[in-house]
Short mmCIF file of all heavy atoms in Angstrom, two decimals:
data_model
loop_
_atom_site.label_atom_id
_atom_site.label_comp_id
_atom_site.label_asym_id
_atom_site.label_seq_id
_atom_site.Cartn_x
_atom_site.Cartn_y
_atom_site.Cartn_z
N ALA A 83 63.98 -26.06 -2.25
CA ALA A 83 63.58 -26.60 -0.93
C ALA A 83 64.71 -27.44 -0.34
O ALA A 83 64.86 -27.47 0.94
CB ALA A 83 62.33 -27.45 -1.05
N THR A 84 65.54 -28.11 -1.18
CA THR A 84 66.53 -28.96 -0.68
C THR A 84 67.92 -28.26 -0.55
O THR A 84 68.84 -28.78 0.14
CB THR A 84 66.74 -30.22 -1.48
OG1 THR A 84 67.24 -29.86 -2.79
CG2 THR A 84 65.43 -30.99 -1.62
N GLY A 85 68.11 -27.21 -1.28
CA GLY A 85 69.37 -26.50 -1.34
C GLY A 85 70.30 -27.06 -2.41
O GLY A 85 71.38 -26.51 -2.59
N ALA A 86 69.89 -28.04 -3.15
CA ALA A 86 70.68 -28.61 -4.23
C ALA A 86 70.63 -27.66 -5.41
O ALA A 86 69.68 -26.89 -5.61
CB ALA A 86 70.25 -30.02 -4.58
N ASN A 87 71.63 -27.80 -6.30
CA ASN A 87 71.67 -27.04 -7.55
C ASN A 87 70.51 -27.35 -8.44
O ASN A 87 69.96 -28.49 -8.43
CB ASN A 87 72.94 -27.27 -8.26
CG ASN A 87 74.18 -26.90 -7.48
OD1 ASN A 87 74.54 -27.59 -6.52
ND2 ASN A 87 74.80 -25.80 -7.76
N LYS A 88 70.09 -26.36 -9.29
CA LYS A 88 68.95 -26.54 -10.18
C LYS A 88 69.11 -27.73 -11.13
O LYS A 88 68.18 -28.36 -11.49
CB LYS A 88 68.71 -25.27 -10.99
CG LYS A 88 68.23 -24.11 -10.10
CD LYS A 88 68.09 -22.86 -11.00
CE LYS A 88 67.76 -21.68 -10.21
NZ LYS A 88 67.72 -20.43 -11.03
N TYR A 89 70.33 -27.95 -11.57
CA TYR A 89 70.58 -29.06 -12.53
C TYR A 89 70.31 -30.39 -11.96
O TYR A 89 70.23 -31.39 -12.67
CB TYR A 89 71.95 -29.00 -13.15
CG TYR A 89 73.15 -28.88 -12.22
CD1 TYR A 89 73.59 -30.03 -11.53
CD2 TYR A 89 73.77 -27.64 -12.01
CE1 TYR A 89 74.68 -29.91 -10.67
CE2 TYR A 89 74.87 -27.56 -11.18
CZ TYR A 89 75.32 -28.66 -10.49
OH TYR A 89 76.33 -28.60 -9.63
N PHE A 90 70.10 -30.55 -10.66
CA PHE A 90 69.73 -31.86 -10.08
C PHE A 90 68.26 -32.09 -10.16
O PHE A 90 67.67 -33.18 -9.91
CB PHE A 90 70.16 -31.98 -8.64
CG PHE A 90 71.68 -32.20 -8.46
CD1 PHE A 90 72.45 -31.29 -7.77
CD2 PHE A 90 72.27 -33.36 -8.99
CE1 PHE A 90 73.83 -31.54 -7.64
CE2 PHE A 90 73.62 -33.58 -8.85
CZ PHE A 90 74.39 -32.66 -8.15
N ALA A 91 67.45 -31.00 -10.43
CA ALA A 91 65.98 -31.10 -10.53
C ALA A 91 65.57 -31.34 -11.99
O ALA A 91 65.85 -30.54 -12.85
CB ALA A 91 65.30 -29.81 -10.01
N GLN A 92 65.01 -32.51 -12.23
CA GLN A 92 64.56 -32.84 -13.61
C GLN A 92 63.11 -33.19 -13.55
O GLN A 92 62.58 -33.78 -12.63
CB GLN A 92 65.33 -34.04 -14.13
CG GLN A 92 66.83 -33.80 -14.14
CD GLN A 92 67.62 -34.97 -14.71
OE1 GLN A 92 67.25 -35.57 -15.72
NE2 GLN A 92 68.73 -35.27 -14.11
N VAL A 93 62.38 -32.76 -14.64
CA VAL A 93 60.94 -33.03 -14.70
C VAL A 93 60.61 -33.74 -15.95
O VAL A 93 61.09 -33.32 -17.07
CB VAL A 93 60.16 -31.66 -14.64
CG1 VAL A 93 58.66 -31.90 -14.74
CG2 VAL A 93 60.50 -30.89 -13.37
N ILE A 94 59.87 -34.79 -15.86
CA ILE A 94 59.39 -35.59 -17.01
C ILE A 94 57.89 -35.72 -16.90
O ILE A 94 57.35 -36.15 -15.89
CB ILE A 94 60.06 -36.98 -17.07
CG1 ILE A 94 61.58 -36.85 -17.16
CG2 ILE A 94 59.50 -37.82 -18.20
CD1 ILE A 94 62.30 -38.15 -16.95
N PHE A 95 57.16 -35.41 -17.97
CA PHE A 95 55.73 -35.50 -17.98
C PHE A 95 55.34 -36.81 -18.69
O PHE A 95 55.80 -37.09 -19.79
CB PHE A 95 55.09 -34.29 -18.69
CG PHE A 95 55.25 -32.96 -17.96
CD1 PHE A 95 56.30 -32.19 -18.25
CD2 PHE A 95 54.37 -32.63 -16.97
CE1 PHE A 95 56.50 -30.95 -17.57
CE2 PHE A 95 54.56 -31.44 -16.28
CZ PHE A 95 55.57 -30.61 -16.58
N ASN A 96 54.38 -37.52 -18.09
CA ASN A 96 53.73 -38.63 -18.71
C ASN A 96 52.22 -38.52 -18.61
O ASN A 96 51.68 -38.28 -17.55
CB ASN A 96 54.13 -39.95 -17.99
CG ASN A 96 55.59 -40.27 -18.10
OD1 ASN A 96 56.10 -40.29 -19.26
ND2 ASN A 96 56.29 -40.44 -17.05
N ASN A 97 51.52 -38.58 -19.71
CA ASN A 97 50.07 -38.54 -19.72
C ASN A 97 49.51 -39.91 -19.69
O ASN A 97 50.00 -40.85 -20.31
CB ASN A 97 49.60 -37.82 -20.96
CG ASN A 97 49.84 -36.33 -20.96
OD1 ASN A 97 49.79 -35.68 -19.94
ND2 ASN A 97 50.22 -35.78 -22.09
N THR A 98 48.50 -40.07 -18.84
CA THR A 98 47.76 -41.35 -18.79
C THR A 98 46.51 -41.22 -19.58
O THR A 98 45.72 -40.28 -19.39
CB THR A 98 47.45 -41.66 -17.33
OG1 THR A 98 48.68 -41.73 -16.60
CG2 THR A 98 46.72 -43.03 -17.18
N LYS A 99 46.30 -42.14 -20.51
CA LYS A 99 45.11 -42.13 -21.31
C LYS A 99 43.82 -42.31 -20.45
O LYS A 99 43.87 -43.05 -19.49
CB LYS A 99 45.15 -43.20 -22.40
CG LYS A 99 46.22 -42.97 -23.43
CD LYS A 99 46.19 -44.05 -24.50
CE LYS A 99 47.32 -43.87 -25.52
NZ LYS A 99 47.39 -44.94 -26.47
N LYS A 100 42.81 -41.65 -20.87
CA LYS A 100 41.52 -41.84 -20.18
C LYS A 100 41.08 -43.29 -20.17
O LYS A 100 41.19 -43.94 -21.20
CB LYS A 100 40.40 -40.99 -20.85
CG LYS A 100 39.20 -40.77 -20.06
CD LYS A 100 38.22 -39.80 -20.75
CE LYS A 100 37.07 -39.48 -19.82
NZ LYS A 100 36.25 -38.37 -20.42
N GLY A 101 40.71 -43.80 -19.03
CA GLY A 101 40.36 -45.24 -18.94
C GLY A 101 41.48 -46.09 -18.49
O GLY A 101 41.33 -47.30 -18.40
N ASN A 102 42.73 -45.51 -18.31
CA ASN A 102 43.87 -46.29 -17.90
C ASN A 102 44.31 -46.06 -16.41
O ASN A 102 45.38 -46.44 -16.05
CB ASN A 102 45.08 -45.98 -18.82
CG ASN A 102 44.97 -46.64 -20.17
OD1 ASN A 102 44.06 -47.41 -20.47
ND2 ASN A 102 45.93 -46.32 -21.03
N HIS A 103 43.40 -45.47 -15.69
CA HIS A 103 43.72 -45.18 -14.28
C HIS A 103 42.58 -45.73 -13.45
O HIS A 103 41.38 -45.32 -13.63
CB HIS A 103 43.88 -43.65 -14.12
CG HIS A 103 44.25 -43.26 -12.65
ND1 HIS A 103 44.06 -41.98 -12.26
CD2 HIS A 103 44.61 -44.02 -11.58
CE1 HIS A 103 44.42 -41.91 -11.00
NE2 HIS A 103 44.78 -43.11 -10.58
N PHE A 104 42.88 -46.57 -12.46
CA PHE A 104 41.91 -47.17 -11.58
C PHE A 104 42.24 -46.93 -10.15
O PHE A 104 43.37 -46.93 -9.75
CB PHE A 104 41.84 -48.70 -11.84
CG PHE A 104 41.37 -49.03 -13.24
CD1 PHE A 104 42.20 -48.97 -14.31
CD2 PHE A 104 40.03 -49.45 -13.40
CE1 PHE A 104 41.81 -49.32 -15.58
CE2 PHE A 104 39.56 -49.78 -14.72
CZ PHE A 104 40.49 -49.75 -15.78
N MET A 105 41.17 -46.75 -9.30
CA MET A 105 41.34 -46.72 -7.93
C MET A 105 40.23 -47.62 -7.30
O MET A 105 39.02 -47.42 -7.62
CB MET A 105 41.19 -45.32 -7.32
CG MET A 105 42.41 -44.48 -7.48
SD MET A 105 42.16 -42.91 -6.59
CE MET A 105 43.61 -42.07 -7.07
N GLY A 106 40.58 -48.57 -6.47
CA GLY A 106 39.62 -49.44 -5.86
C GLY A 106 38.88 -50.27 -6.89
O GLY A 106 37.73 -50.61 -6.68
N GLY A 107 39.53 -50.53 -8.02
CA GLY A 107 38.93 -51.32 -9.07
C GLY A 107 37.97 -50.55 -9.97
O GLY A 107 37.33 -51.15 -10.87
N LYS A 108 37.90 -49.24 -9.82
CA LYS A 108 36.99 -48.43 -10.57
C LYS A 108 37.83 -47.36 -11.38
O LYS A 108 38.81 -46.87 -10.89
CB LYS A 108 35.96 -47.69 -9.70
CG LYS A 108 35.08 -48.64 -8.97
CD LYS A 108 34.04 -47.98 -8.17
CE LYS A 108 33.14 -49.05 -7.52
NZ LYS A 108 32.55 -48.68 -6.37
N ILE A 109 37.30 -47.10 -12.63
CA ILE A 109 38.00 -46.09 -13.42
C ILE A 109 37.89 -44.74 -12.78
O ILE A 109 36.82 -44.32 -12.32
CB ILE A 109 37.39 -46.08 -14.83
CG1 ILE A 109 37.67 -47.38 -15.58
CG2 ILE A 109 37.89 -44.89 -15.62
CD1 ILE A 109 37.05 -47.47 -17.04
N VAL A 110 39.01 -44.03 -12.72
CA VAL A 110 39.08 -42.67 -12.24
C VAL A 110 38.61 -41.73 -13.34
O VAL A 110 39.16 -41.79 -14.44
CB VAL A 110 40.44 -42.31 -11.73
CG1 VAL A 110 40.57 -40.86 -11.35
CG2 VAL A 110 40.90 -43.16 -10.56
N THR A 111 37.60 -40.91 -13.04
CA THR A 111 37.02 -40.03 -14.05
C THR A 111 37.44 -38.58 -13.82
O THR A 111 37.38 -37.73 -14.72
CB THR A 111 35.53 -40.10 -14.11
OG1 THR A 111 35.00 -39.78 -12.80
CG2 THR A 111 35.03 -41.48 -14.51
N LYS A 112 37.92 -38.24 -12.59
CA LYS A 112 38.35 -36.90 -12.30
C LYS A 112 39.81 -36.76 -12.67
O LYS A 112 40.59 -37.68 -12.76
CB LYS A 112 38.21 -36.57 -10.82
CG LYS A 112 36.81 -36.50 -10.37
CD LYS A 112 36.72 -36.12 -8.87
CE LYS A 112 35.33 -35.97 -8.45
NZ LYS A 112 35.21 -35.49 -7.05
N SER A 113 40.18 -35.46 -12.95
CA SER A 113 41.60 -35.19 -13.24
C SER A 113 42.42 -35.29 -11.99
O SER A 113 41.99 -34.88 -10.87
CB SER A 113 41.75 -33.75 -13.78
OG SER A 113 41.15 -33.66 -15.04
N GLU A 114 43.55 -35.90 -12.09
CA GLU A 114 44.50 -36.07 -10.96
C GLU A 114 45.88 -35.78 -11.52
O GLU A 114 46.20 -36.00 -12.70
CB GLU A 114 44.52 -37.52 -10.50
CG GLU A 114 43.15 -38.11 -10.20
CD GLU A 114 42.68 -37.87 -8.78
OE1 GLU A 114 43.47 -37.45 -7.94
OE2 GLU A 114 41.52 -38.16 -8.53
N ILE A 115 46.72 -35.30 -10.63
CA ILE A 115 48.15 -35.11 -10.97
C ILE A 115 48.99 -35.90 -9.95
O ILE A 115 48.75 -35.77 -8.70
CB ILE A 115 48.60 -33.68 -10.96
CG1 ILE A 115 47.95 -32.98 -12.17
CG2 ILE A 115 50.12 -33.56 -11.05
CD1 ILE A 115 48.38 -31.52 -12.33
N PHE A 116 49.89 -36.73 -10.43
CA PHE A 116 50.75 -37.55 -9.59
C PHE A 116 52.23 -37.08 -9.86
O PHE A 116 52.65 -37.00 -11.00
CB PHE A 116 50.68 -39.01 -9.96
CG PHE A 116 49.35 -39.64 -9.50
CD1 PHE A 116 48.27 -39.49 -10.30
CD2 PHE A 116 49.33 -40.39 -8.39
CE1 PHE A 116 46.99 -40.11 -9.91
CE2 PHE A 116 48.14 -40.96 -8.00
CZ PHE A 116 47.00 -40.79 -8.76
N ILE A 117 52.90 -36.80 -8.79
CA ILE A 117 54.31 -36.39 -8.86
C ILE A 117 55.07 -37.49 -8.10
O ILE A 117 54.85 -37.72 -6.94
CB ILE A 117 54.55 -34.98 -8.22
CG1 ILE A 117 53.77 -33.94 -8.96
CG2 ILE A 117 56.10 -34.72 -8.22
CD1 ILE A 117 53.90 -32.57 -8.30
N TYR A 118 55.97 -38.13 -8.84
CA TYR A 118 56.90 -39.13 -8.33
C TYR A 118 58.30 -38.52 -8.30
O TYR A 118 58.82 -38.28 -9.34
CB TYR A 118 56.86 -40.40 -9.10
CG TYR A 118 55.54 -41.08 -9.16
CD1 TYR A 118 54.66 -40.95 -10.19
CD2 TYR A 118 55.18 -41.89 -8.11
CE1 TYR A 118 53.43 -41.55 -10.17
CE2 TYR A 118 53.93 -42.54 -8.03
CZ TYR A 118 53.05 -42.33 -9.11
OH TYR A 118 51.82 -42.94 -9.08
N GLY A 119 58.84 -38.27 -7.17
CA GLY A 119 60.18 -37.68 -7.06
C GLY A 119 61.20 -38.63 -6.47
O GLY A 119 60.92 -39.24 -5.49
N HIS A 120 62.27 -38.72 -7.22
CA HIS A 120 63.42 -39.40 -6.69
C HIS A 120 64.35 -38.36 -6.03
O HIS A 120 64.67 -37.40 -6.73
CB HIS A 120 64.17 -40.16 -7.79
CG HIS A 120 63.28 -41.21 -8.39
ND1 HIS A 120 62.81 -41.15 -9.70
CD2 HIS A 120 62.75 -42.37 -7.89
CE1 HIS A 120 62.06 -42.18 -9.98
NE2 HIS A 120 62.04 -42.93 -8.86
N ILE A 121 64.77 -38.65 -4.83
CA ILE A 121 65.61 -37.67 -4.14
C ILE A 121 66.75 -38.42 -3.51
O ILE A 121 66.59 -39.52 -3.05
CB ILE A 121 64.75 -36.89 -3.09
CG1 ILE A 121 65.53 -35.73 -2.51
CG2 ILE A 121 64.16 -37.83 -2.07
CD1 ILE A 121 64.62 -34.83 -1.62
N ARG A 122 67.93 -37.73 -3.52
CA ARG A 122 69.07 -38.39 -2.79
C ARG A 122 68.79 -38.44 -1.33
O ARG A 122 68.37 -37.49 -0.71
CB ARG A 122 70.35 -37.57 -3.13
CG ARG A 122 70.87 -37.74 -4.49
CD ARG A 122 72.08 -36.90 -4.81
NE ARG A 122 71.70 -35.53 -4.80
CZ ARG A 122 72.43 -34.53 -4.40
NH1 ARG A 122 73.62 -34.77 -3.79
NH2 ARG A 122 72.01 -33.25 -4.42
N SER A 123 69.06 -39.57 -0.71
CA SER A 123 68.79 -39.76 0.72
C SER A 123 69.77 -38.90 1.51
O SER A 123 70.74 -38.43 0.99
CB SER A 123 68.97 -41.21 1.07
OG SER A 123 70.27 -41.64 0.83
N GLY A 124 69.38 -38.68 2.73
CA GLY A 124 70.21 -37.87 3.69
C GLY A 124 69.59 -36.57 4.05
O GLY A 124 70.17 -35.87 4.90
N ARG A 125 68.37 -36.31 3.57
CA ARG A 125 67.74 -35.05 3.99
C ARG A 125 66.79 -35.30 5.08
O ARG A 125 66.25 -36.37 5.24
CB ARG A 125 67.03 -34.45 2.73
CG ARG A 125 68.00 -33.97 1.70
CD ARG A 125 67.35 -33.32 0.52
NE ARG A 125 68.34 -32.78 -0.40
CZ ARG A 125 68.90 -33.48 -1.36
NH1 ARG A 125 68.64 -34.76 -1.51
NH2 ARG A 125 69.77 -32.90 -2.19
N THR A 126 66.52 -34.28 5.86
CA THR A 126 65.69 -34.39 7.00
C THR A 126 64.20 -34.48 6.56
O THR A 126 63.85 -34.04 5.50
CB THR A 126 65.80 -33.17 7.92
OG1 THR A 126 65.38 -32.00 7.29
CG2 THR A 126 67.23 -32.93 8.39
N SER A 127 63.42 -34.99 7.52
CA SER A 127 61.96 -35.02 7.24
C SER A 127 61.35 -33.61 7.05
O SER A 127 60.48 -33.38 6.19
CB SER A 127 61.19 -35.68 8.38
OG SER A 127 61.51 -37.01 8.45
N LYS A 128 61.94 -32.62 7.76
CA LYS A 128 61.44 -31.24 7.62
C LYS A 128 61.68 -30.75 6.19
O LYS A 128 60.78 -30.14 5.59
CB LYS A 128 62.21 -30.36 8.65
CG LYS A 128 61.77 -28.93 8.61
CD LYS A 128 62.51 -28.16 9.69
CE LYS A 128 62.07 -26.62 9.69
NZ LYS A 128 62.78 -25.86 10.73
#
């Protein structure tokens, strides 16, 4: 999507133990996936 080489794309998985995820002060019971991406600045919003 960015046009950068594949070697700039790295993926690390972290599992959150059941009972260690809260929203609004309540334990989240549904499965969720969170992706946190660090990207070099300078790309357009598009």
Side-chain angles (χ1 to χ4, degrees):
T84 66
N87 299 76
K88 291 177 187 176
Y89 51 77
F90 285 118
Q92 300 181 44
V93 178
I94 300 169
F95 292 95
N96 293 307
N97 289 323
T98 302
K99 292 180 183 178
K100 195 172 187 174
N102 284 355
H103 180 197
F104 295 80
M105 283 188 184
K108 296 182 178 156
I109 293 178
V110 174
T111 58
K112 292 185 177 184
S113 293
E114 309 270 350
I115 290 183
F116 290 79
I117 299 175
Y118 296 98
H120 298 112
I121 188 170
R122 287 177 291 143
S123 60
R125 293 184 174 85
T126 65
S127 293
K128 183 178 179 180

